[in-house]
Amino acid sequence: MTRSALLLALGLSLGSASVSRAQTGTPSGTVRTDTIWSQSLGVYKALVVYLPPSYRANARTRYPLLVYLHGRTGSERNWVDAGWLHLTMDSLAHTGAPEAIIAMPDGDDGWYATWNQLGDVNACRADTTRREPAATYCVPWTRYDDYIARDIVSHMDSRYRTVARRESRGIAGLSMGGFGAITLALQYPDVFAAAASHSGVVSPRYLGPKPFAPPPRYANTTAELQASARNLWSDLRWVMGKDTIGWNARDPGHMAQRLQQLVQQRAASAGPRLPQLMFDVGADDAYVDQNRDLHATLTRLGVPHRYAEWPGAHTWSYWQTHSAESLQFLLGNVAGR
C-alpha cells in the first residue's frame, strides 16, 4: 500500500496524521499519566501511557509494548499533545491493525544515554529559565538508557498487561528521541526487537560533505564535535564527553557494527539478534545528511534496515504525518509474537 493510500485508509489527510474521534467514529483508547520512581536516575518521573480501545473490555488479553521518545526540550506529553499519536493508533486499530500499549516517558534533555561526563547538578538546580521543575529534571545519576530499557519497561510489564518479552517490544522517537530509539535498540537487543526514528540525530559526529557524499568526514576533536553539534552542544557535550572512545560508544553506526560482529561471532548459539530498524527524515531537515550517512553506513555493513526521505522539515507537521508509518513498522515486527 502506498503512503497516500495508507493515510486515506486511516481517514487522514496528507497534511495531518490524525483526525478527531468525532470525525472518524473510532473506538478510543485511554491516555493516563503515571508517576514512577527511576532507580537509574534517582528521581520520580512522569510517564504518559496509552491503553488501546479493547484494554478494559478484554481483561485477559496481553499487548505488545511500544515506547515513544520525545525530542530535545520536549516532554512526556509531546507525542499526545502535538503528535496526536493516540488518535493515530486508534485509527490504525479501527482499520484492523494490531493494538498495542504505548509508553511515553519524560527523557529531559538526556539523549537517552548514560552520559560520558556527570552534569553540574547544582547549576541545573539554580537555572530559573527552565520550565520543568529541578526536582524531576536535575537528576543525580544520568543513566537515561537504563531508565528507559530497565525502569520504564519493568514498570510497564508489572503494571499493565504487556507481552513481557523482547519479541513484543518496539521503540521509536523523533530528533533526540530518534537517536535514543536507534541506540537503545542496538544497546539492548535483549529488550527491543525493533526501532524507528523520525528526523533523528543519528550521526552526531558527521561533518560533511553537505549534501552527503562519500567519503564522509567525522569529528575527531572536541572543537569539531562542537561544530557538528551546533545548538545541541549545551547538553550533548555531557553525553559525548571529551574522549573519542566515548564518542564511538554512543555513535549509532559504531554501535550497529559492534552488535553485528557480536551476532556473527555467536551465530551458532542463542546470542543477541539485530533489531529491525527503520528511519526517515524530511528532505529539508537540518539532519538529513546525518540520516543519509547512517543509511550509507548500515548499507556498507550489511545491516538490514528501512530508510526513506520525504518532503518536509524538522516540524510537528512532518512527525504527525509519518507517525502512522513508524507505528505500522513496529507493529509489523512485534505484534502477535
Side-chain angles (χ1 to χ4, degrees):
M1 179 181 289
T2 67
R3 175 173 165 269
S4 298
L6 166 64
L7 292 173
L8 290 173
L10 294 175
L12 310 180
S13 71
L14 290 176
S16 171
S18 193
V19 291
S20 70
R21 296 178 178 87
Q23 288 176 292
T24 63
T26 61
S28 60
T30 302
V31 176
R32 56 175 297 164
T33 301
D34 293 352
T35 299
I36 72 167
W37 170 257
S38 170
Q39 187 65 32
S40 300
L41 301 179
V43 297
Y44 284 97
K45 281 292 190 183
L47 173 66
V48 172
V49 176
Y50 165 88
L51 300 175
S54 69
Y55 188 86
R56 185 171 298 179
N58 301 335
R60 295 185 178 180
T61 302
R62 291 189 172 273
Y63 302 84
L65 172 64
L66 308 181
V67 179
Y68 266 72
L69 308 176
H70 66 74
R72 184 173 177 266
T73 74
S75 78
E76 70 280 358
R77 289 207 57 87
N78 278 174
W79 273 111
V80 169
D81 293 344
W84 307 334
L85 189 70
H86 57 311
L87 301 180
T88 304
M89 188 69 244
D90 286 347
S91 297
L92 282 169
H94 183 62
T95 64
E99 292 182 321
I101 296 171
I102 305 176
M104 292 162 274
D106 172 16
D108 303 325
D109 297 318
W111 290 86
Y112 307 103
T114 290
W115 292 10
N116 199 10
Q117 292 181 271
L118 285 177
D120 189 336
V121 177
N122 290 331
C124 179
R125 290 171 178 165
D127 184 359
T128 59
T129 64
R130 186 187 55 254
R131 289 175 295 177
E132 186 173 346
T136 58
Y137 183 89
C138 302
V139 303
W141 307 308
T142 51
R143 300 197 306 269
Y144 284 93
D145 44 5
D146 286 338
Y147 160 58
I148 301 297
R150 303 304 183 199
D151 300 345
I152 295 297
V153 169
S154 176
H155 172 82
M156 296 303 297
D157 286 347
S158 63
R159 178 152 186 170
Y160 299 100
R161 297 196 311 275
T162 61
V163 181
R165 59 184 181 182
R166 177 253 188 196
E167 291 78 10
S168 295
R169 296 193 196 101
I171 187 167
L174 64 88
S175 192
M176 178 187 81
F179 170 89
I182 297 295
T183 56
L184 283 165
L186 294 171
Q187 184 177 351
Y188 300 91
D190 61 318
V191 178
F192 299 108
S197 164
H198 298 296
S199 314
V201 185
V202 291
S203 187
R205 293 179 56 216
Y206 182 78
L207 287 176
K210 297 182 181 181
F212 172 83
R217 292 184 292 106
Y218 300 105
N220 291 308
T221 67
T222 301
E224 288 179 337
L225 185 61
Q226 182 175 357
S228 175
R230 294 180 294 178
N231 64 309
L232 308 178
W233 184 244
S234 61
D235 38 70
L236 195 56
R237 65 191 177 107
W238 302 107
V239 179
M240 300 297 283
K242 297 180 179 180
D243 62 283
T244 56
I245 294 176
W247 300 352
N248 291 342
R250 292 160 179 81
D251 179 79
H254 280 85
M255 295 175 76
Q257 183 174 19
R258 286 198 306 272
L259 179 57
Q260 183 195 46
Q261 292 171 346
L262 191 59
V263 169
Q264 292 173 345
Q265 291 168 5
R266 302 183 182 179
S269 63
R273 287 163 287 177
L274 284 166
Q276 299 296 313
L277 301 176
M278 165 199 155
F279 53 107
D280 64 48
V281 66
D284 296 320
D285 196 298
Y287 303 109
V288 64
D289 289 318
Q290 288 198 23
N291 281 263
R292 291 168 178 168
D293 177 62
L294 181 61
H295 171 50
T297 297
L298 297 182
T299 300
R300 174 177 54 81
L301 294 172
V303 174
H305 64 285
R306 183 187 301 179
Y307 175 66
E309 292 181 22
W310 302 106
H314 208 75
T315 65
W316 274 108
S317 175
Y318 180 89
W319 302 320
Q320 290 165 3
T321 299
H322 293 280
S323 63
E325 294 158 19
S326 62
L327 285 167
Q328 285 205 316
F329 173 80
L330 295 180
L331 292 170
N333 283 286
V334 304
R337 295 192 176 189

